[in-house]
Each structure stands twice: as structure tokens, then as C-alpha cells.
Amino acid sequence: MTAAIEVAQPEAVPPLDPASSEPPRTEVNDSSGPVHTGTGDQLNDIRYYLDRPRKPRTRDITQDRLRELWRSFVLPAGFERAARVLAAPEGLVILSGAVGTGRSTAGLMLLLADIAPDTVVRFVAPDLEKSAVEAERRIFEGADVRENDRLVLDLSEADGDAFGELQDYLHALQPALRERQAKMVAILPHLHGERLKVDLLSFMVEIRRPDSFQVLQRRLAAEGLPATDLSAYRESFAASSMDGLVRVVYQVREAWLERPDAAVDALLAEILNSADKREQKVAKVVGSAGGARPRALLIAAALLHGLSTHTVFRAQERLLELLRVPDEDAEHVLEVAGVEEALASLGLDLSVTPEPGQRLHFADQEMAAEVLRRFWDDMPWLRSRLTDWVAELVGTGTSSLDRFDMATLARRFGAQCRRTRDTELALRLVEEWSGDRYQSQRSAAYTLLEELLDDDGTASAARQKLYSWTRDTHLPDGRVAMVVAACVNILADRHLDQAVVRLSWLAEHAGYGVRRAARDGLGELVQEPDRRLEVIDLVLERWRFDPANFAAVAEPAGLPMFLGTGALERLVAGWRRAFLETDPTWRDELFRRWLNAYAEALGEGRADDAQGVQQLLAMVCAHHRQLLDGLVNSMLDWLAARNEDPLRLQTAQTIKQLVRRGRRAGGTILSEARP
């Protein structure tokens, strides 16, 4: 066994330190530029970011995350062979395997072998956007490979032409991997394994599902749950999905926190026995409900539990209509008054609250989800019809559904779609509801979209749908708000670069309101100081620079924090471009932002921040008589609007000194006066 395999599962976690940031660099790509004529000097503008090399898209896997994975990791079948392939000088292994086998986790664990204490595993997600311009395809290239690098390249979401294109990148990376003694694990889409090019087949290894019982043991130990003898449960988890197993562990943890004196073995037995009894009971009830009407009632009750019996009745009747089920006997048509009796006959411990609400409740809240799961799994041909049904329930606001009820229905339906990866069904509803004129339906759409984006199995298609909407020239206003909210509140946490790309495209929409909403969204992304610079850099890297987008993320008031850092040159160059590449009216608005930032800092007693704003503005305008003249004109108009305001008068005095020294010194950095 090779050394790589021997250390594959050590007792102690190898020491890992987070990656340090790269040293700041100055990149000037073109010293030529447009010639400015008129009064003042003749100057060439340095187009600092016009052809700035693209930044590779990677995400560092944190030390805490690696340790968390290691504590519960079990070697799957194929792991040792993958370790031998990776240990070869080529430094590449391609992992194949069915969805849910843990290929990504296995890849990270493979890279932990023989790493130095300061090595960081970098996760590369190409995310080739359909219909995106070539300049936005920021693929990881050979030049991006570092010495002794450890990389995971995720190809699992690639399909069709994108998969064929990505294979060419693997060829391009191989020389760099060998030369720099780096290691890369590529995650293969399982369905495209047969399409792998012949010369890459020697690197492919299939990873199979690890032993569920061992995973259970490791998971419980990682959660600090002192189980003694679990051998009796080996068969119980033989066919369990990894997701289902993890849910059981979380249930045991929650139960143990409530009853810390109870034995973990006993808690696990209770949970499994309860789940078995629930499953058997639901199977019996569904099997005994021989007609369409009682089955429709079961489905309606499971989806709408917590709502009124009148709503359940209406939903049941509509489901029967959609399924085109004729009344078997007119005298047996279920009336609203008979719903409670019919529900009681189902035998699922259902109760109805007294008047006036008469809301339906399961004694066991898990029973409703089990009923839906049973129908969803056993009758997959019903899924499309059930989707139509749910779409109508929310779309028409059946009975007295309020906004919260609609969001609840969307979440329950989304749970089934997530579980079986029926993303298209869910996205169909997101699209339908998000175009509705009512806020309640759009809220349901956002809830369902959030469910999809929160699951690795459905997130890719949901992100792609967001992208396609940002390129839609006829995007409804309601959907605009949802796209912006999803980018800011959901997508940015995991894929900040994708959020910026989508908002940037939306900011090019023909509608003024859409553009403004998108730029407001970009502005919200930089509210967290820790990611402000990253967002600014992403906007600067866009293939088509937009002054308004840059101004939205680089507000002058928030920039003094970067004085004295390696980011200063990038910010100054970006603002210089924003001023020079816009029309005079918008340039005047941009200057006003700087003036307001300076005045507000003065008014709030933040003298250091005010001086910082002044210094940055001087740097931006340096060597540009055109900008100095524009600054004076904007300042005079700004002052005239409130010419008795002492803060504006003081600001104007400072700006006059700044411009005077700038003209006298030929545009060198001029800031000596303190506020």
C-alpha cells in the first residue's frame, strides 16, 4: 500500500492552515488611450482594467470544514485505487460514481494525504453558464496551478457540450500539475462516464457508496453521542440513503439534548421504531384507500395539514378534477360537512380544531410528510399532475390561503422535489408564481427557489434559471425583485461571483427600474466589509466595465478603509475609469457622491474618514485636468443648492484647495489640508 493510502484515514486530523492571500500587485496593461483636447495638458489615459487578466475561480476549503468531514469519513469502495492513481507523477484522478456516493468528500480526503501544514485545498467550480459570452468563462488554467497545489475540480454539474469542452481543460492542466507537483481530483458527472475521452480513461476511478453502518458509527461519534452497541441496526441502514442516515443522526442528537440521561442506543431504537411504525401505518392506509376519492383526500390532508377542512375539501375536489376522475356514485359525493368523518376513517390520528377555525392537524407531524413521500415515490406518474394541482392551489389562493400558507405549501412541495431531484417541476412553479401580480404568490415562488438553491442536488439548475432570467429583456417586475433578493440573500453566501455576474447582467436591462434594482442589489453585496473588496474586484473584472455598477459597489464613504493597502491602486483606477467613461451628467452625479461622503464624515465628527475621502479623490483626479475641472463645476452646483450649509461651505473650501494644488503641481497627489 502506498504512503498516500496509508495516511488515508489517520487517527488525528493533519494540521491545516487557511490560505494566505496573494501579495498585492500592480498590473498596467496598456499605456495608450484617448487623447484629451482642450484647455490644460494633453494626457493619455492608462486603461488599467481594460484587459486585466481574469482571476481564476476557486474557493478555499476551510480548516474547520475539512476537520468536520474527516471526523465522519468512511473509506468508500474505490478509494484506495484512487489514491494510487493520484500518487502517480501525473497528479490527476477522475472520480466517477452515482449521485449521493460522496465523490466530493472522497476527493477532499484523497488530497489530505502527505500535505504540508500550510497547504490549502482549493475547490474549483467552472460553472459554465449557458449562453454566456466567452470572456465570462473564467476556467481554471495551467497558469493558475501553484507549487504543491491541492485542487478539486467539480465537473458534476456539466452537461452536453460543456462536458466535452471541460475535458480539453483537463488536458491543458496536466503539464502544470506534473511540473509543479500538484494534485487534482476531478469529479465526473456520472451519466457522462461513457463520454470520457479515451486518453483520460486511465485516470478514472469509480467511487461506490461507503458502508452505511460504519458511516452511522462515525457520524454519531463526530456528534459526541456515546453509543455502545449498534450492531443490531446494521440491516436497518443497509438500503438507507446517506441523506436519510444523516437526518437520523440529527434526530438522535436533538433527542439526546432533551434527554441527556437516556442511552443513545435507546434513543436510536425509539426513532427507528417510530419511523418504521409510521411507514407501515401509512403504507397500510394508502393500500386500504382503494378509491380515487379517499386517496385524493389523503394527499390534500398531507399537503394542507394545519389549514381549514374547507380548504382541504376544495383542494381534494380540484385534484380529482385534474385527474379527470368521474364521480363513482352521485350519492357518495363528499360534502364539506363530511370531511372530518372521512378523515377520521383514514386512521392516521387526524384531528380538527373546534369552530371557527376547524383546522386539520396530525398527531404525528412526520405523518404528513410520509404520506406525501409514499404517493410521490410509488406513483411517479402523478408528479406532473400534482405539480399542476399545487400550482393552482397557490396561483388561485384556494379558499382563504394567506401568504404564509402559500409559502408553507411551496416548502412542502419543494421538499419532495429536492428529495428526488425533480428540479424542473419545481422551477416550473417558481416561474409561474414569480410572474404573478400578487405578492403572496411571488413570496411562494421565492420560498420554493430558496429550497432549491439550498440543496446541492438542485442548486445548479436553479442558478441557471436565475441566469437565464437576467438575460430576459421582458422580465416581469415581480420576478426582478425575486432575482435580486435571491442573488443577495442566498446565492452570494456560497457563490459570490455568480451573484455578481447575474446582477451585472440585470443592470444592463433596458428598463430603468430593473437597472436600478440590480445596482441596489450590488450595493447590498458590499454591506459586509469582509467581502467588499472581492465584490469590487468582480465588478472590475466584468468583460464590459460599467461606471454605474462600479459606483454602486465602491461608494466613496466606504473606501478609506483601504488606504495603505494593496487594493488602493485598483480602487483609484476603477474610479478614474468611472469618471472618464461616462457622460457629463452622470459624471456630475458621481462627483456629488464624493462631496456628500466628505461632508457627512465631517458632520459626524469622523475627521480621519473625511481626510481619507479627500486623499482618495485627489488620487483619482491626479494627472487629469479634465477631472479637476469637472470636480470644480460639480462642487459649485452642489454648493449653490444649499449655499448656507456650513458643512458644504467647509467641503467646498477643501475642494478648492485640492484643485488649486492639483493644477499647480500638474496633477500630483495634493492632499495636505486636514478637515
Side-chain angles (χ1 to χ4, degrees), residues 252-264 266-267 270-271:
V252 173
R253 183 187 64 183
E254 293 304 312
W256 190 66
L257 290 174
E258 294 180 1
R259 297 157 56 191
D261 295 333
V264 171
L267 294 175
E270 288 179 15
I271 291 169

Side-chain angles (χ1 to χ4, degrees), residues 41 43 622-625 628 661-668 670:
D41 301 327
L43 299 168
H623 303 291
H624 281 276
R625 181 61 63 88
L628 291 171
R661 285 196 299 272
R663 288 171 174 166
R664 186 172 60 244
T668 56
L670 340 145

